[in-house]
Amino acid sequence: ATFGNTCYCNSVLQALYFCRPFREKILAYRSQPRRKENLLTCLADLFHSIANQKRKVGVIPPKKFITRLRKENELFDNYMQQDAHEFLNYLLNTIADLLQEERKQEKTNGRLANGTLDSQNNNSNATPAPTWVHEIFQGTLTNETRCLTCETISSKDEDFLDLSVDVEQNTSITHCLRGFSNTETLCSEYKYYCEECRSKQEAHKRMRVKKLPMILALHLKRFKYMEQLQRYTKLSYRVVFPLELRLFNTSGDATNPERLYDLVAVVVHCGSGPNRGHYIAIVKSHDFWLLFDDDIVEKIDAQAIEEFYGLTSEISKNSESGYILFYQSRD
């Protein structure tokens, strides 16, 4: 693409296009009455032109989408390489906000039309109802803290649209997710204020997955700030991500304790650091795998996915390693 460094955007859009529930919602959205242009309408137009492409091959540059993106967020308004994860995050949150805004408008218009006030929706502070973005991507984590003196557990839920996990050398995604819910002891100056004991106490703290989403977007934290280098470096660690992932909701009250996920797309970071480098996407289409490198598409063997796990040797070598993984739940 000639309009700057847009592979961070292309790779994420290609990955999302192959997340079927998401693509279907976007295309359905486009068939509704037209609204004024925003990031969502631009994305819907782009997906529509890909879906209705008559030719078997060809390139559709996301010009309108990128122009809109740059207009709306100065973070992306330059020709520099951006972080694909930041872009994914911004995109999903923006779409959800736009949908909620539209719903609010429709309600207001509906109220004006029939002249009656809908009392329950009149509360402007109410949490907006979840959108289809939430229905597809949102999971819930629960942060549990147990006071070691009185054993009282206090827990706080937080929702996520994607999950960021720490990486270590020679591990697997399952291992990273397990590390996510390791118990941490809060002691000495980090003691926890226990409401029950009314004083600071030692406590155990852990994060657990309370609700798994329909599509689990996993972000591997491969960029780490190195004090001695005064810059971010890339962790090219080898992290194995299987084509099929069995996950457990780790909190006790989970409704569906076990879910089977299939890998549907991967955004791969190529290069040795965050600001230089390149992104490509591997996606599953029908029953085969495709590799998208901006406007070049090639079919790859499922076996070849192993090349994107990372490296076992050097820490910041130039590598092509999985950065964002999209897993879709079977049920």
Side-chain angles (χ1 to χ4, degrees), residues 3 6 8-9 13 29 34-46 61-79 87 90-91 94-95 98 102:
F3 43 109
T6 56
Y8 69 91
C9 169
L13 295 182
Y29 173 85
R34 295 304 282 158
R35 300 173 174 85
K36 66 174 193 295
E37 186 185 293
N38 57 37
L39 207 57
L40 177 52
T41 63
C42 291
L43 183 62
D45 286 346
L46 179 63
K63 273 208 181 72
K64 197 168 91 173
F65 178 84
I66 297 270
T67 309
R68 188 78 223 179
L69 176 69
R70 289 179 173 161
K71 205 181 282 176
E72 293 196 10
N73 187 335
E74 66 227 19
L75 178 68
F76 303 110
D77 191 14
N78 52 53
Y79 291 96
F87 168 67
Y90 173 73
L91 183 62
T94 302
I95 295 175
L98 288 166
E102 276 174 18

Coordinates of all heavy atoms in Angstrom, one line a residue, residues 3 6 8-9 13 29 34-46 61-79 87 90-91 94-95 98 102:
F3 N 0.0 4.3 0.8 CA -0.3 5.4 1.7 C 0.2 5.1 3.1 O -0.5 5.0 4.1 CB -1.8 5.7 1.7 CG -2.7 4.5 1.7 CD1 -3.4 4.2 2.8 CD2 -2.8 3.7 0.6 CE1 -4.3 3.1 2.8 CE2 -3.6 2.6 0.6 CZ -4.4 2.3 1.7
T6 N 0.8 0.7 6.6 CA -0.6 0.3 7.2 C -0.7 -1.2 7.4 O -1.8 -1.7 7.7 CB -1.7 0.7 6.1 OG1 -1.3 0.1 4.9 CG2 -1.7 2.2 6.0
Y8 N -0.1 -2.8 10.1 CA -0.7 -3.1 11.4 C -2.2 -3.1 11.3 O -2.9 -3.9 12.0 CB -0.2 -2.0 12.4 CG -0.8 -0.6 12.2 CD1 -2.0 -0.3 12.8 CD2 -0.2 0.3 11.3 CE1 -2.6 1.0 12.5 CE2 -0.7 1.5 11.1 CZ -1.9 1.9 11.7 OH -2.5 3.1 11.4
C9 N -2.7 -2.3 10.4 CA -4.1 -2.2 10.2 C -4.6 -3.3 9.3 O -5.6 -4.0 9.6 CB -4.4 -0.8 9.6 SG -6.1 -0.6 9.0
L13 N -7.4 -6.2 10.2 CA -8.7 -6.3 9.5 C -8.8 -7.6 8.8 O -9.9 -8.2 8.7 CB -8.8 -5.1 8.5 CG -8.8 -3.7 9.0 CD1 -9.0 -2.7 7.9 CD2 -10.0 -3.6 10.0
Y29 N -24.9 -5.2 9.5 CA -25.0 -3.8 9.9 C -25.1 -2.9 8.6 O -25.9 -1.9 8.5 CB -23.8 -3.4 10.7 CG -23.7 -1.9 11.0 CD1 -24.4 -1.4 12.1 CD2 -23.0 -1.0 10.2 CE1 -24.3 0.0 12.4 CE2 -22.9 0.3 10.5 CZ -23.6 0.8 11.6 OH -23.5 2.2 11.8
R34 N -28.6 3.7 5.8 CA -27.4 4.4 5.8 C -27.3 5.4 6.9 O -28.3 6.1 7.2 CB -27.0 5.1 4.5 CG -26.8 4.1 3.4 CD -25.8 3.1 3.6 NE -24.4 3.6 3.5 CZ -23.4 3.0 4.0 NH1 -23.5 2.0 4.8 NH2 -22.2 3.5 3.8
R35 N -26.2 5.5 7.5 CA -26.0 6.6 8.5 C -24.8 7.4 8.1 O -24.1 7.1 7.1 CB -25.6 5.9 9.9 CG -26.7 5.0 10.4 CD -26.3 4.2 11.6 NE -27.4 3.5 12.1 CZ -27.7 2.3 11.7 NH1 -27.1 1.7 10.7 NH2 -28.8 1.6 12.2
K36 N -24.5 8.5 8.9 CA -23.4 9.3 8.5 C -22.1 8.5 8.6 O -22.0 7.7 9.5 CB -23.4 10.6 9.2 CG -23.2 10.5 10.7 CD -23.0 12.0 11.3 CE -22.5 12.0 12.7 NZ -23.3 11.4 13.7
E37 N -21.1 8.9 7.8 CA -19.9 8.2 7.8 C -19.1 8.2 9.1 O -19.0 9.2 9.7 CB -19.0 8.7 6.7 CG -17.7 7.9 6.5 CD -16.7 8.4 5.5 OE1 -17.0 8.5 4.3 OE2 -15.6 8.8 6.0
N38 N -18.7 7.0 9.5 CA -17.8 6.9 10.7 C -16.9 5.7 10.5 O -17.0 5.0 9.4 CB -18.6 6.8 12.0 CG -19.6 5.7 12.0 OD1 -19.3 4.6 11.5 ND2 -20.8 5.9 12.6
L39 N -16.2 5.3 11.5 CA -15.2 4.2 11.3 C -16.0 2.9 11.0 O -15.5 2.1 10.2 CB -14.4 4.1 12.6 CG -13.0 3.5 12.4 CD1 -12.2 4.2 11.4 CD2 -12.2 3.4 13.7
L40 N -17.1 2.7 11.6 CA -17.9 1.5 11.5 C -18.5 1.4 10.1 O -18.4 0.4 9.4 CB -19.0 1.4 12.5 CG -20.0 0.3 12.5 CD1 -19.2 -1.1 12.4 CD2 -20.9 0.3 13.7
T41 N -19.0 2.5 9.5 CA -19.6 2.5 8.2 C -18.5 2.2 7.2 O -18.6 1.5 6.2 CB -20.3 3.7 7.8 OG1 -19.4 4.8 7.8 CG2 -21.5 4.0 8.7
C42 N -17.3 2.8 7.4 CA -16.2 2.6 6.5 C -15.7 1.1 6.5 O -15.4 0.5 5.5 CB -15.0 3.5 6.9 SG -15.3 5.2 6.6
L43 N -15.7 0.5 7.7 CA -15.3 -0.9 7.9 C -16.4 -1.8 7.2 O -16.0 -2.7 6.5 CB -15.2 -1.3 9.3 CG -14.7 -2.7 9.6 CD1 -13.3 -2.9 9.0 CD2 -14.8 -3.0 11.1
A44 N -17.6 -1.4 7.4 CA -18.7 -2.2 6.7 C -18.6 -2.2 5.2 O -18.8 -3.2 4.5 CB -20.1 -1.7 7.2
D45 N -18.3 -1.0 4.7 CA -18.1 -0.8 3.2 C -17.0 -1.7 2.7 O -17.0 -2.3 1.7 CB -17.9 0.6 2.8 CG -19.2 1.4 2.9 OD1 -20.3 0.8 3.0 OD2 -19.1 2.7 2.9
L46 N -15.9 -1.7 3.5 CA -14.7 -2.4 3.1 C -15.0 -3.9 3.1 O -14.7 -4.6 2.2 CB -13.6 -2.1 4.1 CG -12.2 -2.8 3.9 CD1 -11.6 -2.5 2.6 CD2 -11.3 -2.5 5.0
P61 N -7.6 -1.8 -1.5 CA -6.9 -1.0 -0.5 C -7.9 -0.3 0.4 O -8.9 0.2 -0.1 CB -6.1 0.0 -1.4 CG -6.6 -0.1 -2.8 CD -7.7 -1.2 -2.8
P62 N -7.6 -0.4 1.7 CA -8.6 0.2 2.7 C -8.5 1.7 2.8 O -8.4 2.2 3.9 CB -8.2 -0.5 4.0 CG -6.8 -0.8 3.8 CD -6.5 -1.1 2.4
K63 N -8.4 2.4 1.6 CA -8.1 3.8 1.7 C -9.1 4.6 2.5 O -8.7 5.4 3.3 CB -8.1 4.4 0.2 CG -6.8 4.2 -0.5 CD -6.7 5.3 -1.6 CE -5.4 5.2 -2.3 NZ -5.3 4.1 -3.2
K64 N -10.4 4.4 2.2 CA -11.4 5.2 2.9 C -11.3 5.0 4.4 O -11.4 5.9 5.2 CB -12.8 4.9 2.4 CG -13.8 5.9 2.7 CD -15.1 5.7 2.0 CE -16.0 4.8 2.7 NZ -17.4 4.7 2.1
F65 N -11.1 3.7 4.8 CA -11.1 3.3 6.2 C -9.9 4.0 6.9 O -10.0 4.6 7.9 CB -11.0 1.8 6.3 CG -10.9 1.3 7.8 CD1 -12.0 1.2 8.5 CD2 -9.6 1.1 8.4 CE1 -11.9 0.8 9.9 CE2 -9.5 0.7 9.7 CZ -10.7 0.5 10.4
I66 N -8.7 3.9 6.3 CA -7.5 4.5 6.8 C -7.6 6.0 7.0 O -7.2 6.6 8.0 CB -6.2 4.1 5.9 CG1 -6.0 2.6 5.9 CG2 -5.0 4.9 6.4 CD1 -5.1 2.1 7.0
T67 N -8.2 6.6 5.9 CA -8.4 8.1 6.0 C -9.2 8.5 7.2 O -8.9 9.4 7.9 CB -9.0 8.6 4.7 OG1 -8.3 8.0 3.6 CG2 -9.0 10.1 4.6
R68 N -10.3 7.7 7.4 CA -11.2 8.0 8.5 C -10.5 7.7 9.8 O -10.7 8.5 10.7 CB -12.4 7.0 8.3 CG -13.5 7.3 9.3 CD -14.4 8.4 8.8 NE -14.7 9.3 9.9 CZ -15.4 10.4 9.8 NH1 -15.8 10.8 8.7 NH2 -15.7 11.1 10.9
L69 N -9.7 6.6 9.9 CA -9.0 6.3 11.1 C -8.1 7.4 11.5 O -8.0 7.8 12.6 CB -8.2 5.0 10.9 CG -7.3 4.5 12.0 CD1 -8.1 4.0 13.2 CD2 -6.4 3.4 11.5
R70 N -7.4 8.0 10.5 CA -6.4 9.0 10.8 C -7.1 10.3 11.2 O -6.6 11.1 11.9 CB -5.5 9.3 9.5 CG -4.6 8.1 9.3 CD -3.7 8.3 8.1 NE -2.7 7.2 8.1 CZ -2.1 6.8 7.0 NH1 -2.3 7.4 5.9 NH2 -1.2 5.8 7.1
K71 N -8.3 10.5 10.6 CA -9.1 11.7 11.0 C -9.5 11.6 12.4 O -9.6 12.6 13.1 CB -10.3 11.8 10.0 CG -10.8 13.2 9.8 CD -12.0 13.3 8.9 CE -11.6 13.2 7.5 NZ -12.8 13.1 6.6
E72 N -9.9 10.4 12.9 CA -10.5 10.3 14.2 C -9.5 10.1 15.3 O -9.8 10.3 16.5 CB -11.5 9.1 14.2 CG -12.6 9.4 13.3 CD -13.8 8.5 13.5 OE1 -13.8 7.7 14.5 OE2 -14.8 8.6 12.7
N73 N -8.3 9.6 15.0 CA -7.4 9.4 16.1 C -6.0 9.7 15.7 O -5.4 9.0 14.8 CB -7.4 7.9 16.5 CG -6.6 7.6 17.7 OD1 -5.7 8.3 18.0 ND2 -7.0 6.5 18.4
E74 N -5.4 10.8 16.3 CA -4.1 11.3 15.9 C -3.0 10.3 16.1 O -2.0 10.3 15.5 CB -3.8 12.6 16.5 CG -3.6 12.5 18.0 CD -4.3 13.6 18.7 OE1 -5.3 14.2 18.1 OE2 -4.0 13.9 19.9
L75 N -3.3 9.3 17.0 CA -2.3 8.2 17.2 C -1.9 7.6 15.9 O -0.8 7.2 15.7 CB -2.9 7.2 18.2 CG -2.0 6.0 18.6 CD1 -0.8 6.5 19.4 CD2 -2.8 5.0 19.3
F76 N -2.9 7.4 15.0 CA -2.7 6.7 13.8 C -2.4 7.6 12.6 O -2.3 7.2 11.5 CB -3.8 5.8 13.5 CG -4.1 4.8 14.6 CD1 -5.3 4.9 15.4 CD2 -3.2 3.7 14.9 CE1 -5.5 4.0 16.4 CE2 -3.5 2.8 15.9 CZ -4.6 3.0 16.7
D77 N -2.4 9.0 12.9 CA -2.4 9.9 11.8 C -0.9 10.2 11.4 O -0.4 11.4 11.6 CB -3.1 11.2 12.2 CG -3.2 12.1 11.0 OD1 -3.0 11.7 9.9 OD2 -3.6 13.3 11.2
N78 N -0.2 9.2 11.0 CA 1.2 9.5 10.6 C 1.6 8.2 9.7 O 0.8 7.3 9.6 CB 2.1 9.6 11.8 CG 1.9 8.5 12.7 OD1 2.0 7.3 12.4 ND2 1.6 8.8 14.0
Y79 N 2.8 8.3 9.2 CA 3.2 7.2 8.4 C 4.1 6.2 9.1 O 4.8 5.4 8.5 CB 3.9 7.7 7.1 CG 2.9 8.4 6.3 CD1 2.7 9.8 6.3 CD2 2.1 7.7 5.4 CE1 1.7 10.4 5.6 CE2 1.1 8.3 4.6 CZ 0.9 9.7 4.7 OH 0.0 10.3 4.0
F87 N -4.3 -0.9 17.9 CA -5.2 -0.7 16.9 C -6.5 -1.6 17.0 O -7.6 -1.1 17.0 CB -4.6 -0.9 15.5 CG -5.6 -0.9 14.4 CD1 -6.4 0.2 14.0 CD2 -5.9 -2.1 13.7 CE1 -7.4 0.2 13.1 CE2 -6.9 -2.1 12.7 CZ -7.6 -1.0 12.4
Y90 N -8.5 -0.2 20.0 CA -9.2 1.0 19.6 C -10.4 0.7 18.7 O -11.5 1.3 18.9 CB -8.2 2.0 18.9 CG -8.9 3.2 18.3 CD1 -9.3 4.2 19.2 CD2 -9.1 3.3 16.9 CE1 -9.9 5.3 18.7 CE2 -9.7 4.5 16.4 CZ -10.2 5.5 17.3 OH -10.8 6.6 16.8
L91 N -10.2 -0.2 17.7 CA -11.2 -0.5 16.8 C -12.4 -1.1 17.4 O -13.6 -0.6 17.2 CB -10.7 -1.4 15.7 CG -11.7 -1.8 14.6 CD1 -12.1 -0.6 13.8 CD2 -11.1 -2.8 13.6
T94 N -14.2 1.4 19.7 CA -14.9 2.5 18.9 C -16.2 1.9 18.3 O -17.2 2.6 18.4 CB -13.9 3.0 17.8 OG1 -12.7 3.5 18.4 CG2 -14.6 4.1 17.0
I95 N -16.1 0.7 17.7 CA -17.3 0.2 17.2 C -18.4 0.0 18.2 O -19.6 0.3 18.0 CB -17.0 -1.2 16.5 CG1 -16.1 -1.0 15.3 CG2 -18.3 -1.9 16.0 CD1 -15.6 -2.3 14.6
L98 N -19.9 3.4 19.0 CA -20.8 3.9 18.0 C -22.1 3.2 18.0 O -23.2 3.8 17.8 CB -20.1 3.7 16.6 CG -18.9 4.6 16.3 CD1 -18.1 4.1 15.1 CD2 -19.4 6.0 16.0
E102 N -25.7 4.9 18.6 CA -26.8 4.8 17.7 C -28.1 4.3 18.4 O -29.2 4.7 18.1 CB -26.5 3.8 16.6 CG -25.7 4.4 15.5 CD -25.2 3.4 14.5 OE1 -25.7 2.3 14.4 OE2 -24.3 3.8 13.7

